[in-house]
Amino acid sequence: MATSSEHPLSGVWKPYYLQAMHYGPSSVKTHLLSHLPSDTSKAFIVTGSSLATKTSLISQIESLLGSDHHAGTFASIKQHAPVAQLDEATDAVLKDPAIDTLISVGGGSPIDSAKVISHRHNEKRSKYLHHITIPTTLSAAECTGGAGYTDNTGHKVGIFSPALVPQVIIYDCAFAKETPQKLWLSTGIRSLDHGVESMYHPNAPDSPTKQLCLSAIAQLFEYLPKSKKEPGNEDIITRLQLAAFNSLYSLGLNLGGGLGLSHSLGYALGSPYGIPHGTTSCLTLAGVVRLKAEKPEDAEQLAKVLPYIGRTRSGDNRKDAVAVGYAIDDLLKDLALDTTLKEHKVGEDQVHKIAKLATRTEEGKLYDKATPLNAPALSKPLLSCSGVDYGRNLRLASCVQVYMTMSSYTVPRSFGERFTGEWDAPLPFRYLSHDGLCAIDLSHAAGVNGDIVAPFDLKEAASLIIRVCIAVSPNQGGLVTGLGVNNGLSLRIVPYRPTVTCGPDGSFSPDDLACRGVIDRMPANNKRQVFGPKDQPGTTVGLPWGYTTGRRKCGAVVDTIEEGKISEESDWYKIWAAVNAVDFMCCQMGRRGVATGLGESLPLGNFEVDSADAF
């Protein structure tokens, strides 16, 4: 049962007990010894081999402790804390009854390992060990009483106790400087994962948890890119360490179990497939956020993030929550952390296994949601170039011109099959060059009505086709599939040769919204129709056919142009494409226009997009 509520605003905060948290340059040298439990304390260092053999950090701590306080060092902790190394470290600690303190140095694996050693010590000696931690990554493992290790079968085993929370945390930027940049940045995404999933955690109180998480999210978005550019900047390192602390510590005992679906998927991906947890968050977080946007109460919490990352709220919680997911995608790209499961040698046959591990079931709503959620992470949008399927000899300058007109906004929009729901834009949707020779078409995949995507991603897909398919020899059109939250959209670039005649300059006062209203509200399917006199048998669309916007600022009419021709076959898609052509080639240039050649055997035309004065 949730212990916090938004409506009405109520809750409870159950904090951990922390003796001290130090941060800043030389914090270890200044404060470590003062936090030993007694003058006779013996400390055992738990760390990994890289810090011990490739840096002087561990030897510095050993020298600082001296023979009076240094009881030993275990420097063989590996990623995901394999149980074999834990057994060895635990045995070393249990052999010396004078040891009362553990000093963990490193990322999540050494910190979790120290917690497990303390847990085992309590089982054997009925006493938890004093724990001082010196984190060197942004994973924030120091901020909870939970710990995980990998058993002999390769699965993660978790333990939890408030007594396992480190008593002292020392964030020393000099120690963090030694961390490889990719590990540093990816664990920053792990902290972002903590902060974001805390926003919709049912037990997270508004204060201080969510307020500190919002602050952490803002700091991570601001300082991770700066850290990539200035990896040795100590102030930036320290700000990120504090952001990591704020992302998770304030949840305290309210955590009471798992954080959320992104973390569950991360555990299912981590140990079984050897993927670091920072990287698992890069794989899962953005997709989970977009999934959570479908749940109104979660969307309400996620929407609060938007202004903290420099974006403007629209007032629609679902769209704003989806926008947060896209902003995370953008951050990953900026940090060069965008990746796929395939890049980590995880195939499609593993999707159901991952969902089962994450949800601990093989059926139900959560399993059904987690299963397709992993599929998008298997691959990036797919590109195919084909002269046979998408045409040849496209005019590069025309494709670049229409590409430049596409929006770069990162605020997501919904695109769906026309007349099936309330979409921001109906499908099919077309961008066309002003000379009519290059068309960029957006459509939905079979089996789905639509999807949500940021216009920026559509422009990126168009850029990919232009660079890989059109700007090379042989010149040919292309298709990108797998766009959108659920991989439900595809974008293609093809040649187009409309027969359009524009009127003189100034013959039309363009109203882009009005003309777009005509295009968006007319049919656009490829079902064959018989266009002819309304009273003629067999006619499915009576001529003349016309449509205009409510204020009559733009309108279109279709009619036969050859005298004596009674009826003509065509389809609405061809008519819709012609309306687009007249709009892009004529109306947007301040001219009225006519498209012809739309019928099966004879021209079907006198097809105008005009100011509607004649209607």
Side-chain angles (χ1 to χ4, degrees):
M1 181 179 177
T3 60
S4 298
S5 168
E6 187 77 11
H7 305 288
L9 187 60
S10 63
V12 61
W13 180 46
K14 300 176 183 178
Y16 293 129
Y17 172 67
L18 179 67
Q19 290 181 8
M21 185 271 282
H22 296 281
Y23 60 91
S26 302
S27 291
V28 170
K29 181 179 180 180
T30 305
H31 302 291
L32 177 63
L33 294 181
S34 67
H35 287 292
L36 294 175
S38 71
D39 293 338
T40 59
S41 287
K42 290 287 187 177
F44 188 85
I45 300 171
V46 180
T47 189
S49 61
S50 293
L51 285 175
T53 61
K54 296 179 181 180
T55 76
S56 63
L57 298 178
I58 303 305
S59 62
Q60 289 176 34
I61 297 174
E62 291 172 342
S63 297
L64 191 64
L65 292 170
S67 58
D68 290 342
H69 299 295
H70 181 224
T73 298
F74 185 86
S76 299
I77 297 297
K78 294 180 173 59
Q79 181 176 283
H80 298 303
V83 69
Q85 280 75 51
L86 274 175
D87 290 344
E88 188 178 347
T90 302
D91 288 344
V93 171
L94 290 173
K95 286 178 181 178
D96 187 348
I99 294 173
D100 61 359
T101 301
L102 296 175
I103 299 175
S104 60
V105 188
S109 295
I111 296 171
D112 275 8
S113 295
K115 295 178 188 176
V116 176
I117 294 169
S118 180
H119 171 74
R120 290 176 168 186
H121 189 277
N122 182 63
E123 288 183 327
K124 294 285 187 178
R125 305 275 172 82
S126 300
K127 181 183 178 182
Y128 290 101
L129 296 171
H130 186 70
H131 186 179
I132 301 170
T133 182
I134 305 169
T136 61
T137 74
L138 298 171
S139 66
E142 66 275 9
C143 294
T144 77
Y149 64 92
T150 305
D151 65 16
N152 291 323
T153 67
H155 294 108
K156 201 80 168 183
V157 177
I159 60 172
F160 178 86
S161 170
L164 295 179
V165 182
Q167 282 73 39
V168 179
I169 302 171
I170 303 177
Y171 292 117
D172 192 318
C173 49
F175 280 65
K177 273 186 180 180
E178 300 290 344
T179 304
Q181 187 182 65
K182 186 174 182 180
L183 176 61
W184 175 256
L185 296 176
S186 64
T187 55
I189 300 300
R190 186 65 171 175
S191 283
L192 182 65
D193 202 346
H194 301 329
V196 169
E197 291 225 289
S198 292
M199 291 301 296
Y200 49 74
H201 192 284
N203 294 338
D206 186 79
S207 181
T209 303
K210 291 182 181 179
Q211 299 305 316
L212 287 175
C213 286
L214 288 170
S215 172
I217 291 167
Q219 297 278 293
L220 290 164
F221 263 83
E222 179 179 357
Y223 286 104
L224 283 173
K226 291 181 178 179
S227 185
K228 185 173 187 294
K229 294 177 181 178
E230 300 180 63
N233 188 306
E234 294 188 348
D235 283 345
I236 292 175
I237 290 172
T238 303
R239 288 189 183 279
L240 285 171
Q241 290 175 321
L242 295 178
F245 178 82
N246 287 339
S247 75
L248 189 57
Y249 194 88
S250 63
L251 192 54
L253 291 169
N254 292 63
L255 179 59
L259 248 180
L261 182 57
S262 179
H263 282 70
S264 296
L265 288 167
Y267 295 132
L269 289 168
S271 298
Y273 301 95
I275 304 174
H277 280 311
T279 302
T280 64
S281 292
C282 297
L283 286 162
T284 62
L285 180 57
V288 167
V289 166
R290 288 189 284 264
L291 176 64
K292 288 289 185 178
E294 301 300 318
K295 191 175 181 180
E297 54 267 39
D298 292 340
E300 180 182 4
Q301 299 305 313
L302 287 167
K304 296 176 181 178
V305 172
L306 214 53
Y308 285 83
I309 57 177
R311 312 293 175 96
T312 303
R313 292 186 67 171
S314 69
D316 183 323
N317 286 336
R318 177 175 175 270
K319 288 182 181 178
D320 290 349
V322 170
V324 172
Y326 276 112
I328 294 169
D329 279 333
D330 292 343
L331 178 62
L332 292 173
K333 291 174 185 175
D334 289 345
L335 300 175
L337 292 176
D338 51 325
T339 186
T340 68
L341 287 176
K342 282 187 176 178
E343 291 174 0
H344 297 278
K345 300 179 181 180
V346 181
E348 294 184 14
D349 60 325
Q350 299 297 301
V351 168
H352 291 279
K353 179 181 178 180
I354 294 167
K356 179 181 177 181
L357 286 171
T359 63
R360 300 185 181 183
T361 183
E362 293 186 70
E363 58 184 3
K365 290 183 178 180
L366 185 59
Y367 176 85
D368 292 341
K369 290 178 179 178
T371 303
L373 187 63
N374 285 286
L378 285 166
S379 62
K380 296 174 182 176
L382 298 177
L383 167 69
S384 59
C385 304
S386 172
V388 174
D389 295 326
Y390 313 118
R392 296 185 174 88
N393 302 318
L394 288 86
R395 186 169 182 263
L396 177 59
S398 301
C399 293
V400 171
Q401 180 270 309
V402 63
Y403 161 79
M404 294 299 291
T405 67
M406 297 176 72
S407 170
S408 297
Y409 290 154
T410 56
V411 177
R413 302 187 71 204
S414 60
F415 294 82
E417 184 176 347
R418 54 190 61 214
F419 313 128
T420 64
E422 294 294 327
W423 308 99
D424 291 327
L427 297 176
F429 191 91
R430 168 167 285 187
Y431 306 88
L432 187 68
S433 61
H434 290 318
D435 60 11
L437 300 179
C438 185
I440 301 178
D441 293 336
L442 183 67
S443 59
H444 62 80
V448 297
N449 286 337
D451 210 335
I452 297 175
V453 67
F456 173 85
D457 290 335
L458 300 180
K459 192 169 186 177
E460 287 287 288
S463 173
L464 181 64
I465 296 173
I466 291 172
R467 287 184 283 109
V468 178
C469 305
I470 300 173
V472 297
S473 180
N475 173 304
Q476 53 192 339
L479 173 76
V480 171
T481 59
L483 297 167
V485 173
N486 298 306
N487 294 349
L489 301 175
S490 60
L491 182 142
R492 68 173 188 171
I493 300 183
V494 295
Y496 186 49
R497 301 287 188 275
T499 305
V500 172
T501 303
C502 298
D505 290 343
S507 59
F508 180 73
S509 298
D511 185 327
D512 290 344
L513 290 178
C515 291
R516 175 52 59 183
V518 172
I519 295 167
D520 288 350
R521 289 172 176 80
M522 66 179 294
N525 58 66
N526 56 12
K527 182 179 179 181
R528 304 300 294 175
Q529 303 285 350
V530 176
F531 293 79
K534 297 176 182 178
D535 57 355
Q536 179 174 304
T539 295
T540 56
V541 180
L543 297 179
W545 174 90
Y547 185 82
T548 181
T549 54
R551 293 184 295 163
R552 297 175 64 81
K553 289 195 173 184
C554 189
V557 63
V558 59
D559 203 353
T560 56
I561 61 172
E562 183 164 323
E563 187 176 350
K565 179 65 179 176
I566 297 176
S567 62
E568 181 65 280
E569 286 193 13
S570 190
D571 61 66
W572 280 117
Y573 184 86
K574 189 178 289 186
I575 305 296
W576 167 85
V579 178
N580 273 281
V582 174
D583 180 40
F584 278 95
M585 298 172 67
C586 305
C587 297
Q588 292 186 23
M589 303 294 106
R591 305 158 74 184
R592 60 187 299 182
V594 177
T596 58
L598 307 178
E600 187 69 25
S601 58
L602 292 174
L604 180 67
N606 196 25
F607 182 85
E608 297 186 47
V609 177
D610 204 345
S611 63
D613 290 342
F615 297 120

